Amino acid sequence: MVNTASRYVAPGRSTNLFNQAVAGLTRLGIGVWGSRILAVRGRVSGEWRTVPVNLLTHDGERYLVAPRGHTQWVRNLRAAGGGELRLGRRAESFTATELGDDEKPAVLRAYLRRWKFEVGVFFAGVDADASDAELRRIAPGYPVFRLSSR
C-alpha cells in the first residue's frame, strides 16, 4: 500500500508542456478554466516561486487542491501561510488554511467535477461519483487549502 501522507506524482514531459502553455496564457491575463499563477515564497530561499494552479470556488469559498500530492508548492505554502494568485498583471494576496482530511470530500468531489479531464489521471480511478468514504480514504494524499483574502 502506498503511503498517501507523502504521496507525490512527478510531472511528466507532457504535463510540463501543458503547464507551460497554461502558465503563458495566464500570465497574459487569460485564465483557462479558472487557472491562476500561484506565487509563494520558497521555504528555504525566501524567493518567489510560481506554478500554474486551478482555483476552485465551492460553496462561496475558494480552494487550491494539489492533485499531484505533496509538491514543492504545497510545502512552500504550508511554511509561508499564504501567497499571491496572479492573472495577467493582477495579483491578489491571500492567506491559506489547510483542510483536515475529514473536510476534504466535498471539495475533492467539486474539484473532480470541474477538472477531471485534466487531473483525473492523478486520482487513480476515483471520480466525482465516489462515496465520501472513498474520498476520505484518499484525502491524505491530496492537500487542500482554503484561501482568504488579506
Side-chain angles (χ1 to χ4, degrees):
M1 181 169 185
V2 175
N3 179 1
T4 57
S6 62
R7 181 185 159 278
Y8 171 67
V9 179
R13 183 170 185 211
S14 61
T15 300
N16 283 333
L17 291 172
F18 180 78
N19 283 346
Q20 288 173 5
V22 170
L25 290 170
T26 305
R27 284 187 182 97
L28 291 172
I30 303 168
V32 181
W33 279 77
S35 66
R36 298 290 186 275
I37 299 296
L38 169 65
V40 63
R41 295 276 184 183
R43 64 192 179 281
V44 175
S45 70
E47 295 180 21
W48 285 105
R49 304 294 183 193
T50 60
V51 64
V53 293
N54 293 322
L55 178 62
L56 174 68
T57 300
H58 175 66
D59 287 344
E61 300 279 350
R62 297 176 325 143
Y63 299 92
L64 291 179
V65 175
R68 291 189 304 106
H70 299 269
T71 62
Q72 295 300 322
W73 74 257
V74 167
R75 293 176 180 136
N76 288 337
L77 190 54
R78 284 177 179 146
E84 291 181 353
L85 289 175
R86 299 175 180 171
L87 179 61
R89 293 182 183 190
R90 294 184 307 253
E92 175 193 355
S93 295
F94 68 87
T95 57
T97 304
E98 190 166 5
L99 299 187
D101 293 340
D102 288 338
E103 299 174 275
K104 293 179 186 177
V107 176
L108 291 175
R109 182 173 287 112
Y111 188 81
L112 284 164
R113 278 200 180 99
R114 175 88 176 174
W115 286 292
K116 178 154 177 42
F117 70 94
E118 181 184 333
V119 299
V121 66
F122 301 121
F123 283 83
V126 175
D127 63 17
D129 296 326
S131 68
D132 282 356
E134 179 68 5
L135 291 169
R136 255 189 237 96
R137 183 187 68 75
I138 68 164
Y142 299 88
V144 177
F145 297 88
R146 181 182 302 114
L147 308 183
S148 302
S149 296
R150 283 190 190 170

